[in-house]
Amino acid sequence: MPDIEIAPPLDREKLASSDVRHFLDLDLVGQVELRRILDAGRRMKAAWQAEESTTWPGRLLNGRALAMIFEKPSTRTRVSFERAVKQLGGDAIVLERESSQLGRGETVADTARVLSRYVDAIMLRCTKEEKLLELAAHAEVPVINGLTDRTHPCQLMADVMTFEEHRGPIKDKIIAWSGDGNNMATSWVHAAAEFDFELRLAVPSELPPPADVIRWANERGARVHVTPDPAEAVRGADCVVTDVWISMGDTELTNNHNLLAPYRVDSDLMSMAKGDAVFMHCLPAHRGEEVSSKVIDGPQSVVWDEAENRLHAQKGILLWAMASELMD
């Protein structure tokens, strides 16, 4: 099967400054708009919880449609986006690689041009960031980053929402990451700069976060620290976060497991954080690998609230992208 054709590198900042409201990455949206999105998500969550689903009043996207393109399998992203747009009165159309022309070699640009004639926004979950950027460059409707190998901004919006529900404003708090310097770690770096909290990344030297992202954070004056020592990162933290050791689609190397074994979040590591610290994981979790069952099922774990908040944070993203005039 031929791979999807990708155009030459595109300017992320130029795409973000276009008239179309793309949600490509946290650093391209900015703190003011990110706060508007979270505030809208919270209001819609409260309204949804207060009403029966049959009388839910927030039909703010009535008549609008979201196309969802999946190059990678998904549970939370697919279900939460589909439910979010439908609860807001819109419709969702799912396109998987094998069942669309993307799987037969149609370019991302051509797909963007066609879908722009049919739908009001496009969510893409893919591997290479370049595919996301090319889609945004040629789409006439908003493009939302549902995950790439580089970042996962929708998850971070749910994470910030969840933290603040349990522990108040995230500004000036300490968030500790223990594990691989992967796409989730990169989005946490973006979030640290935009939401003004301290981020400590405990990662093996062989699996660091992207150097350009750390450089960007330093240039922004963000409080982001990288260490090989998980105890140093977690000590006194308000929140401890981890992720799977082998990301979806990666070649599973035993050496990665060996490298990351000291970064497992177990009761001993969790005890080094503050007594009221929360534990987060974007899921799915491999119990016994990156986190022990005792921690993920324990009283400090908020992973199920975190998973639910994908639904509510994404309502804010969808409304911001498709009907921002209805947000406030």
Side-chain angles (χ1 to χ4, degrees), residues 253-290:
L253 299 175
T254 303
N255 189 47
N256 276 24
H257 285 78
N258 294 337
L259 289 171
L260 289 164
Y263 296 83
R264 176 183 295 111
V265 180
D266 56 18
S267 297
D268 289 340
L269 186 63
M270 198 71 199
S271 69
M272 298 180 187
K274 289 181 180 177
D276 64 347
V278 295
F279 170 75
M280 287 188 178
H281 190 305
C282 63
L283 302 177
H286 294 169
R287 293 162 180 262
E289 290 189 3
E290 74 274 5

Side-chain angles (χ1 to χ4, degrees), residues 119-168:
V119 300
D120 302 280
I122 306 167
M123 189 282 295
L124 175 64
R125 182 180 175 93
C126 65
T127 51
K128 298 178 182 178
E129 181 189 45
E130 292 81 3
K131 295 175 186 176
L132 176 78
L133 299 181
E134 186 178 1
L135 189 74
H138 295 279
E140 297 176 11
V141 298
V143 170
I144 298 169
N145 178 358
L147 175 143
T148 70
D149 286 348
R150 183 174 171 87
T151 58
H152 197 358
C154 290
Q155 178 67 55
L156 255 292
M157 295 297 280
D159 292 352
V160 173
M161 177 181 283
T162 305
F163 180 89
E164 295 191 333
E165 284 178 350
H166 286 268
R167 294 292 179 265

Side-chain angles (χ1 to χ4, degrees), residues 293-306:
S293 292
K294 190 171 183 180
V295 169
I296 197 170
D297 293 328
Q300 291 172 281
S301 175
V302 295
V303 298
W304 316 120
D305 293 339
E306 186 183 0

Side-chain angles (χ1 to χ4, degrees), residues 78-79 126 180 266:
R78 176 169 178 168
V79 175
C126 65
D180 184 9
D266 56 18

Side-chain angles (χ1 to χ4, degrees), residues 27-58:
D27 63 313
L28 299 179
V29 177
Q31 56 185 279
V32 173
E33 294 303 292
L34 292 174
R35 271 294 164 198
R36 286 186 70 214
I37 291 169
L38 284 180
D39 289 345
R42 289 192 185 98
R43 290 195 299 272
M44 288 185 284
K45 178 179 181 177
W48 178 74
Q49 290 178 332
E51 299 285 340
E52 296 293 332
S53 59
T54 54
T55 60
W56 159 245

